[in-house]
Amino acid sequence: MKLVNLKCSRGSEALLSVLSDNERVNRGVIFDEKLGRPLMHIKEKDGALKIKCELTRRATKDDGFLEGTYFKGRIKDTADGCSVSGVILTAPIFHSIIALLFIVFVVQCFVVGGFTPIPLIMLAFDIVMFYTEFKKQGLIFRYILRAIRRAEADLAGKPADTLDGE
């Protein structure tokens, strides 16, 4: 889970137009081809924003197991532009069940007075199985940051292809 709270000097409509254009936001960015190329699916309704990440151009299909990784938040107009706030989640259904099982096993360890390696095995399984899903959290966060920088570059009149720090 990753919290997001960003501000943009442009309005929400201008930022949404940049966010929804994957090619514009990812222009000039080099991605790890083994992981794949991220494709963001944007849904916006009455200020509620959902950005879902899908990895394309890789050997296996990215099925987004149990909701996959996505940003769920709001975009609000403010006096000096707009703000984007929300949370990036990875498979929340699966991870809530795993968290409950982890707690049950740890409590049972204390109740019975013994040690079992099951909680550690569950944690290792979760990390190994969802490695690429956890990588998507950073991809979504950087995508939103790039979209904000490109929208602000449009306001300043700079060409978006010449942004530093991509």
Side-chain angles (χ1 to χ4, degrees), residues 101-119:
L101 283 172
F102 186 80
I103 291 169
V104 165
F105 280 119
V106 169
V107 168
Q108 284 296 326
C109 287
F110 286 111
V111 169
V112 175
F115 172 76
T116 180
I118 293 174

Side-chain angles (χ1 to χ4, degrees), residues 41-123:
H41 302 283
I42 314 292
K43 292 182 185 174
E44 189 270 333
K45 184 176 182 183
D46 299 328
L49 185 64
K50 184 173 182 178
I51 302 173
K52 188 168 182 178
C53 181
E54 176 187 4
L55 295 174
T56 59
R57 299 182 190 172
R58 63 185 221 170
T60 59
K61 184 177 180 338
D62 183 12
D63 60 357
F65 179 70
L66 289 177
E67 277 294 313
T69 301
Y70 60 90
F71 168 79
K72 184 95 170 154
R74 300 197 68 71
I75 184 166
K76 297 180 203 172
D77 282 315
T78 60
D80 57 342
C82 70
S83 67
V84 178
S85 59
V87 64
I88 301 173
L89 298 169
T90 298
I93 298 167
F94 178 79
H95 284 106
S96 61
I97 293 169
I98 289 293
L100 287 173
L101 283 172
F102 186 80
I103 291 169
V104 165
F105 280 119
V106 169
V107 168
Q108 284 296 326
C109 287
F110 286 111
V111 169
V112 175
F115 172 76
T116 180
I118 293 174
L120 299 175
I121 292 169
M122 286 175 41
L123 186 62

Side-chain angles (χ1 to χ4, degrees), residues 9-39:
S9 59
R10 299 286 307 261
S12 62
E13 292 299 321
L15 182 59
L16 279 172
S17 70
V18 174
L19 270 173
S20 60
D21 189 0
N22 277 288
E23 186 61 36
R24 181 178 178 188
V25 175
N26 289 333
R27 187 178 303 134
V29 180
I30 299 170
F31 295 103
D32 181 13
E33 291 302 320
K34 285 189 257 178
L35 187 62
R37 186 166 179 84
L39 176 67

Side-chain angles (χ1 to χ4, degrees), residues 107-162:
V107 168
Q108 284 296 326
C109 287
F110 286 111
V111 169
V112 175
F115 172 76
T116 180
I118 293 174
L120 299 175
I121 292 169
M122 286 175 41
L123 186 62
F125 170 79
D126 190 45
I127 291 170
V128 168
M129 292 302 293
F130 286 92
Y131 178 73
T132 57
E133 287 295 321
F134 288 125
K135 293 280 251 181
K136 287 183 188 178
Q137 289 183 359
L139 291 172
I140 293 172
F141 185 74
R142 288 190 304 273
Y143 181 84
I144 296 170
L145 278 176
R146 274 194 308 275
I148 289 173
R149 283 193 301 226
R150 298 208 187 232
E152 289 175 347
D154 289 347
L155 180 66
K158 297 179 188 173
D161 293 339
T162 61

